[in-house]
Amino acid sequence: GYRLTSGDIIIPEQLENNLGISVTYQKSCQSTQTEAKLGIQNKDNVPHLYISDHQEKGKGRYDRNFYSPQGGIYMS
């Protein structure tokens, strides 16, 4: 992964404007990948970016646990 040592606060509305896509932000979630799958079921706009500061049950490649503590930027 990547690590940012400094930067601006995440503002979903600004990301939407700059990227031209829908953005859903949650302070904490089970997994941004799970949120994306639910978004497909709920027919969210596509493309769509799901962002969280913390994942409780993040998964990495090959279904490995992904440590994602509070204060990060996790997205799908």
Side-chain angles (χ1 to χ4, degrees):
Y2 298 93
R3 181 176 179 178
L4 300 175
T5 57
S6 66
D8 294 332
I9 191 166
I10 293 177
I11 302 172
E13 296 81 13
Q14 232 175 9
L15 287 171
E16 284 183 344
N17 290 336
N18 291 342
L19 298 174
I21 65 172
S22 297
V23 175
T24 298
Y25 167 78
Q26 293 180 318
K27 186 121 180 106
S28 181
C29 69
Q30 291 292 313
S31 159
T32 56
Q33 193 65 20
T34 301
E35 294 299 318
K37 289 176 183 177
L38 289 172
I40 290 169
Q41 292 175 356
N42 294 331
K43 300 185 187 308
D44 286 353
N45 293 334
V46 176
H48 199 112
L49 178 62
Y50 299 86
I51 301 175
S52 182
D53 291 340
H54 173 252
Q55 298 181 112
E56 295 172 18
K57 294 184 180 178
K59 291 286 184 182
R61 293 175 58 183
Y62 307 111
D63 206 32
R64 295 179 185 146
N65 288 334
F66 183 81
Y67 178 64
S68 41
Q70 188 69 37
I73 302 172
Y74 309 100
M75 61 185 96
S76 294

